[in-house]
Amino acid sequence: MESSRPVCPAKTLYTTKVEDTQLENRVYDLQWFQNRAFASLKKIDNGVWDFSDSVLLYTPDAEKKYETIQQTDNAYYQEVTRPERDYLKKVASDIAESLPDKFEYIDLGPGTEHKEQFFFDELKKQNKDFIYKPVDINERFLRMATEYADKQGLPVAPLLSPFEELPVRLDGFDNMRFVSLGLTYANYSPGEILPLLKSIAANKGQVFIDVQIRDRINLKVITDIYSRNVYTISEPKLKLLG
């Protein structure tokens, strides 16, 4: 797909025009995650604390553990990721058709599986003009998504950021935003994530949430998988508390 927008060069990776200079200079290193971990703790009863902030699952130390569960011979991949890919392949054409000729593609948490490719393919077929903006708090995953799109000649403007900072961080744009969020949606309460998605999409935007998985997975199998892997997945998060 041809576009008048230049591909974001590697040397400007993770830069963006923002209104808040404190956000502009923020570094999301291990210290940032540790500070957020302690700030996120909420006492809900005597001896019982809420430590459910899902952003803390994506520390630099958690990268390999996350990639391990996404391997194709892994039960999680077979039960969750593969059916999700099949579903996206099925609906991508209709979603692309519903979008205007020019827009921003805000990909919240692209991860490592490149599921955005299903949209890329259909958007190219339909000659849509878009700039791809992957958003992730993990620098490695964000770089993977950026390089993957860049190799296809797509205009890319990556953003290293937690989702809640996006309404301030995103550049002004005259055309609409297509905001895509996968199963990460389930890490939030609806009352928290839905208003945030509305703010990110802005007035002209559309939001696609790929979270309805009950019709395509075996919930008992998934429960067993999480039960077996809960410590492995949560260990880097728990280490933030010392």
Side-chain angles (χ1 to χ4, degrees):
M1 180 186 67
E2 295 183 356
S3 172
S4 59
R5 296 178 181 274
V7 174
C8 180
K11 66 180 181 180
T12 61
L13 202 64
Y14 314 132
T15 62
T16 186
K17 178 181 178 182
V18 296
E19 298 175 3
D20 189 327
T21 55
Q22 289 183 336
L23 292 182
E24 186 176 14
N25 298 319
R26 181 167 291 176
V27 177
Y28 301 98
D29 55 10
L30 186 59
Q31 185 62 57
W32 181 87
F33 279 98
Q34 289 175 331
N35 292 341
R36 176 156 178 152
F38 283 100
S40 73
L41 285 170
K42 299 176 184 177
K43 187 175 182 179
I44 57 178
D45 204 344
N46 290 332
V48 181
W49 295 79
D50 181 339
F51 188 47
S52 59
D53 187 349
S54 64
V55 171
L56 303 175
L57 293 171
Y58 303 101
T59 66
D61 291 342
E63 293 170 358
K64 294 299 182 182
K65 297 180 185 296
Y66 178 85
E67 291 183 76
T68 296
I69 68 171
Q70 293 290 355
Q71 293 177 359
T72 56
D73 60 347
N74 187 284
Y76 182 88
Y77 180 92
Q78 297 297 329
E79 291 294 330
V80 177
T81 305
R82 186 171 66 177
E84 183 183 12
R85 292 176 65 87
D86 292 341
Y87 173 74
L88 290 173
K89 184 177 181 179
K90 180 180 178 181
V91 303
S93 178
D94 289 341
I95 291 174
E97 187 175 355
S98 73
L99 295 171
D101 292 335
K102 191 173 184 178
F103 61 94
E104 286 185 340
Y105 177 179
I106 312 296
D107 190 5
L108 301 180
T112 61
E113 283 302 302
H114 303 306
K115 287 171 282 191
E116 67 276 10
Q117 186 63 53
F118 298 109
F119 290 124
F120 288 170
D121 290 343
E122 292 299 332
L123 293 170
K124 290 177 185 178
K125 288 179 184 178
Q126 298 181 30
N127 296 315
K128 304 285 186 173
D129 183 11
F130 66 97
I131 181 169
Y132 178 58
K133 290 192 172 184
V135 180
D136 209 297
I137 194 62
N138 184 283
E139 186 171 347
R140 171 175 162 77
F141 297 156
L142 185 60
R143 182 177 290 109
M144 290 173 64
T146 301
E147 293 176 350
Y148 184 77
D150 181 68
K151 288 178 181 178
Q152 299 181 58
L154 296 173
V156 190
L159 188 56
L160 184 70
S161 174
F163 298 162
E164 63 264 27
E165 293 178 4
L166 288 180
V168 175
R169 280 182 166 270
L170 286 170
D171 293 319
F173 193 67
D174 293 334
N175 296 291
M176 69 88 69
R177 292 173 181 166
F178 169 58
V179 182
S180 177
L181 177 63
L183 297 181
T184 303
Y185 172 90
N187 292 342
Y188 298 84
S189 68
E192 179 183 11
I193 190 62
L194 292 178
L196 177 58
L197 291 173
K198 183 178 180 180
S199 296
I200 295 171
N203 293 333
K204 301 179 182 179
Q206 297 181 22
V207 178
F208 171 68
I209 304 172
D210 176 26
V211 74
Q212 182 57 35
I213 63 175
R214 293 185 180 182
D215 296 336
R216 60 181 192 252
I217 68 169
N218 185 321
L219 286 177
K220 183 180 184 305
V221 173
I222 294 302
T223 300
D224 292 341
I225 291 172
Y226 276 110
S227 297
R228 292 195 305 268
N229 293 282
V230 64
Y231 180 75
T232 299
I233 296 172
S234 301
E235 183 183 12
K237 179 179 178 179
L238 294 172
K239 284 184 176 179
L240 294 172
L241 298 177

